[in-house]
Amino acid sequence: MDSTSYRAVGRLGVLDLPEGILSSWNRCLRLGLDPRARPENAFVSAQDLRHARRAEEQLLKIVRPELEMLSSQISGSNHVTAFANEAGMILDAIMDAEFEEAACARTVRPGSVWREDIRGTNALGMALVTGRTSMVTGGEHFFEAHAGVSCVCVPVHASDGRIVGLLDASSEIEARQAHTRALVELSARNIENRLFGEAHQRDHVLLFHPRAEYLVTQVVGLIAFDDQGRVSGLNRCATGLLAGVELSMGRRFGDLFRGDFHDVLGRMSGQDTGRLSDRLGARLFARLRTARPRTTPQGVRRTVTLRAPTVERLTPQNRRLVLDDDLVRHSLRLACKAARLGQPVCIRGAAGTGKTALAEVIHRRIHPDRPMVSVDCRGAIRAIGAPGAHGITGEALLPGGTDGVGFEAGGTLLLEGIAALRGAVPAELDRLLERQRREMRAGRWILLATDRDAVGAEVVLGPMKLLAVDLPRLGARSDFGKLVRSMLAELSTDHRLSSGAMRVLAGAEWKANLHDLWHQLQVLVTRSPAGILREADLDGVLADRDAGEATCDRCQGTPIREQRCREIRRTFRACQGNVALAARRLGVSRNTVYAHIRD
């Protein structure tokens, strides 16, 4: 280290700095950075941030759950977890309330860039340069302005060795960083293994480790081979476990392990765990995940060509539904058990409680590869038996019928709104139901129906009695919070609710059904910038639904001013009458808040 470098680090003393920190300081000094100067707060524009996030959309879907898990695992408070792209730009971050109040929170947020040549020595910039885990504590930062925070950063590698992102955890509390480092490294490894699995679905993946019990952990070695036995990808654990063996893309199986690739492939395909030896003779336990077929074989399927507007073939949604409420789970278990025994099921509930969605779940669990046909009974009454109309006949819906619905393999018939058929089941539909009863006994068809607020323990439809299961109203669901977070994640990966906003949403008197909730979240995402949605953001949306709420005298009569007045008053109440806090959340002066709360 030269004399200039030594004077620059004089506030710590050269012997106090680890070798990696000294190397980083020297790089910064050679770039002409001055540790006593104020660092540049480098931020990209909102448009550039959106483009960067869009470019990494699939990666962020994998990263976000790990980021949330990491944030919950870090002990104590006062921390931020963040993910940056390979250019050092933070794309996503989660910070707790205490860290958010700190001055450094304004610099560690999405859109900020943390390369060494801009921000000096910092964990994210060092990890980007070295490709290894980096930890920078307090005064080890190059710029004195950053000395109040300690950070750990771990690069995330793709299976070809490229850095595709960086996972960082920072805190003003220095003591917990050693523990935090282990958590960040584990989260980064989880992300890498997820990326590995998605990138090599069409390859043969070998899982190996010297100890058999480690084959189900995140420290297992992973190597992907193509059909010719050439390496197409590997994770960092594989490099460590095969130390001394030359590993690189394109290497053949025989260059790494003893034995012929196709012989090993055939031997291990039929067993859970096998044994392998690497080229140096080290014994390993291994498992093989064979490649998925390159082409999907076409099964025997029949298409639906019904002519009636009230009959359609449903394509069940692939999204994961939230079914954590006790009553919802009980209804699902009961309905599935009944349907498997050939018992028709009626799903009851108010409008927007998820009756059709639950029917799709039942269908997927019992007949996942068979068709699902929905009949809107409210329109079917008018359509069935109407000569010359665009309706249907009973025979058109029968399995094996002649009007385009030949489902020899069976499936699910969903009758929506069967309350319209009470006491007025058309003869054609009556014959259809009788035929369906025979098909259900054979296990080829299941019959589901939806009814709104039906009364009584059972529902009778034509020749059949339906087992009734119930869905609760939205306001009574115990999984409301998880439901909201799931919906918001579908709408936007850029928004998330604070705990305070979730409490306001859960206590809102307007919540009536899932459709209403979805609409309100749409409005919230549309109106709010990316980031954490707080009580003030939510109050502005809820105010639109409560036009009768009082406003101050000077705002009455002007719709825009009335809306803003209601938002200020709601925020004031949510802040327990704290004018300063309400003003800070709204981004206005305290005098503005006072002007609207005085009657």
Side-chain angles (χ1 to χ4, degrees), residues 523-541:
V523 174
L524 188 62
V525 167
T526 302
R527 290 185 177 181
S528 306
I532 300 176
L533 302 175
R534 306 194 180 282
E535 298 96 314
D537 302 308
L538 193 58
D539 287 338
V541 173

Side-chain angles (χ1 to χ4, degrees), residues 195-249:
L195 290 174
F196 188 100
E198 294 202 357
H200 297 286
Q201 296 181 20
R202 305 302 182 190
D203 293 328
H204 307 282
V205 177
L206 185 71
L207 299 82
F208 63 95
H209 198 278
R211 297 176 60 175
E213 63 268 27
Y214 279 70
L215 292 175
V216 294
T217 69
Q218 295 299 324
V219 296
V220 66
L222 299 174
I223 300 182
F225 296 94
D226 62 18
D227 290 335
Q228 286 71 47
R230 292 189 295 264
V231 175
S232 57
L234 52 93
N235 70 349
R236 282 189 288 173
C237 291
T239 305
L241 293 173
L242 293 180
V245 177
E246 185 180 347
L247 267 176
S248 61
M249 304 295 289

Side-chain angles (χ1 to χ4, degrees), residues 188-451:
R189 191 176 293 119
N190 289 342
I191 295 171
E192 289 178 344
N193 289 349
R194 284 281 308 279
L195 290 174
F196 188 100
E198 294 202 357
H200 297 286
Q201 296 181 20
R202 305 302 182 190
D203 293 328
H204 307 282
V205 177
L206 185 71
L207 299 82
F208 63 95
H209 198 278
R211 297 176 60 175
E213 63 268 27
Y214 279 70
L215 292 175
V216 294
T217 69
Q218 295 299 324
V219 296
V220 66
L222 299 174
I223 300 182
F225 296 94
D226 62 18
D227 290 335
Q228 286 71 47
R230 292 189 295 264
V231 175
S232 57
L234 52 93
N235 70 349
R236 282 189 288 173
C237 291
T239 305
L241 293 173
L242 293 180
V245 177
E246 185 180 347
L247 267 176
S248 61
M249 304 295 289
R251 299 276 291 177
R252 293 191 171 274
F253 179 87
D255 298 330
L256 313 179
F257 302 99
R258 295 180 179 179
D260 177 75
F261 172 69
H262 293 96
D263 289 344
V264 172
L265 202 66
R267 173 168 54 85
M268 295 190 64
S269 295
Q271 60 182 349
D272 183 36
T273 302
R275 297 296 297 267
L276 276 179
S277 295
D278 66 18
R279 295 303 302 174
L280 300 179
R283 300 281 288 172
L284 301 165
F285 292 92
R287 291 179 183 174
L288 183 69
R289 192 201 72 191
T290 56
R292 293 185 183 180
R294 300 281 173 173
T295 57
T296 303
Q298 296 297 317
V300 179
R301 294 188 177 182
R302 299 289 296 274
T303 59
V304 178
T305 56
L306 296 174
R307 293 174 293 147
T310 56
V311 181
E312 60 179 335
R313 177 170 178 170
L314 295 184
T315 302
Q317 301 298 310
N318 291 324
R319 68 179 188 273
R320 181 182 178 275
L321 298 174
V322 176
L323 303 170
D324 287 353
D325 178 82
D326 290 340
L327 179 56
V328 174
R329 288 202 303 266
H330 174 73
S331 295
L332 177 60
R333 287 194 298 267
L334 193 62
C336 287
K337 184 177 181 180
R340 288 191 179 96
L341 296 174
Q343 169 72 50
V345 176
C346 177
I347 305 169
R348 303 186 303 193
T353 51
K355 298 185 292 294
T356 301
L358 188 69
E360 292 176 359
V361 174
I362 297 169
H363 168 75
R364 285 201 304 269
R365 292 195 176 185
I366 299 178
H367 287 161
D369 300 322
R370 301 180 188 178
M372 182 176 185
V373 175
S374 171
V375 179
D376 187 343
C377 296
R378 292 156 296 190
I381 289 180
R382 296 188 299 272
I384 290 179
H390 292 290
I392 58 173
T393 65
E395 293 299 324
L397 283 174
L398 293 176
T402 59
D403 202 21
V405 194
F407 295 125
E408 284 85 356
T412 299
L413 177 63
L414 174 63
L415 303 178
E416 300 204 68
I418 64 167
L421 299 180
R422 297 283 167 76
V425 180
E428 293 87 350
L429 184 56
D430 197 32
R431 290 198 299 273
L432 168 65
L433 296 176
E434 179 59 35
R435 172 69 179 271
Q436 289 301 318
R437 187 161 55 175
R438 296 196 299 270
E439 296 292 339
M440 286 186 289
R441 283 199 296 266
R444 294 169 57 188
W445 276 83
I446 60 175
L447 175 64
L448 304 174
T450 64
D451 201 356

Side-chain angles (χ1 to χ4, degrees), residues 28-336:
C28 295
L29 290 167
R30 286 195 295 269
L31 289 169
L33 299 180
D34 183 353
R36 293 159 298 187
R38 189 159 190 83
E40 176 185 354
N41 284 332
F43 290 91
V44 301
S45 66
Q47 182 178 6
D48 288 342
L49 176 59
R50 285 195 298 271
H51 289 165
R53 289 179 61 86
R54 193 175 299 118
E56 303 293 350
E57 184 175 0
Q58 295 305 313
L59 174 59
L60 288 174
K61 288 181 179 179
I62 295 174
V63 168
R64 180 65 190 189
E66 287 297 332
L67 205 60
E68 292 177 349
M69 180 63 72
L70 176 61
S71 182
S72 67
Q73 288 175 335
I74 295 177
S75 59
S77 59
N78 192 311
H79 67 268
V80 59
T81 56
F83 181 79
N85 63 11
E86 72 280 5
M89 181 202 306
I90 293 181
L91 301 181
D92 198 3
I94 300 176
M95 61 182 69
D96 67 9
E98 186 173 345
F99 190 91
E100 196 169 3
E101 295 295 328
C104 53
R106 292 191 292 271
T107 61
V108 185
R109 58 182 177 84
S112 59
V113 180
W114 284 86
R115 298 198 315 266
E116 262 190 358
D117 60 337
I118 298 174
R119 306 272 188 168
T121 300
N122 68 91
L124 199 154
M126 282 181 60
L128 193 57
V129 171
T130 65
R132 300 189 300 271
T133 298
S134 298
M135 190 161 78
V136 180
T137 302
E140 292 176 349
H141 285 86
F142 185 80
F143 289 109
E144 292 184 25
H146 298 153
V149 69
S150 298
C151 46
V152 177
C153 186
V154 180
V156 175
H157 292 84
S159 62
D160 59 2
R162 293 179 299 110
I163 293 179
V164 295
L166 303 112
L167 196 61
D168 180 274
S170 301
S171 174
E172 291 184 310
I173 301 175
E174 178 180 328
R176 69 163 67 113
Q177 290 305 90
H179 172 68
T180 299
R181 173 174 179 159
L183 294 175
V184 179
E185 289 180 333
L186 178 61
S187 295
R189 191 176 293 119
N190 289 342
I191 295 171
E192 289 178 344
N193 289 349
R194 284 281 308 279
L195 290 174
F196 188 100
E198 294 202 357
H200 297 286
Q201 296 181 20
R202 305 302 182 190
D203 293 328
H204 307 282
V205 177
L206 185 71
L207 299 82
F208 63 95
H209 198 278
R211 297 176 60 175
E213 63 268 27
Y214 279 70
L215 292 175
V216 294
T217 69
Q218 295 299 324
V219 296
V220 66
L222 299 174
I223 300 182
F225 296 94
D226 62 18
D227 290 335
Q228 286 71 47
R230 292 189 295 264
V231 175
S232 57
L234 52 93
N235 70 349
R236 282 189 288 173
C237 291
T239 305
L241 293 173
L242 293 180
V245 177
E246 185 180 347
L247 267 176
S248 61
M249 304 295 289
R251 299 276 291 177
R252 293 191 171 274
F253 179 87
D255 298 330
L256 313 179
F257 302 99
R258 295 180 179 179
D260 177 75
F261 172 69
H262 293 96
D263 289 344
V264 172
L265 202 66
R267 173 168 54 85
M268 295 190 64
S269 295
Q271 60 182 349
D272 183 36
T273 302
R275 297 296 297 267
L276 276 179
S277 295
D278 66 18
R279 295 303 302 174
L280 300 179
R283 300 281 288 172
L284 301 165
F285 292 92
R287 291 179 183 174
L288 183 69
R289 192 201 72 191
T290 56
R292 293 185 183 180
R294 300 281 173 173
T295 57
T296 303
Q298 296 297 317
V300 179
R301 294 188 177 182
R302 299 289 296 274
T303 59
V304 178
T305 56
L306 296 174
R307 293 174 293 147
T310 56
V311 181
E312 60 179 335
R313 177 170 178 170
L314 295 184
T315 302
Q317 301 298 310
N318 291 324
R319 68 179 188 273
R320 181 182 178 275
L321 298 174
V322 176
L323 303 170
D324 287 353
D325 178 82
D326 290 340
L327 179 56
V328 174
R329 288 202 303 266
H330 174 73
S331 295
L332 177 60
R333 287 194 298 267
L334 193 62
C336 287

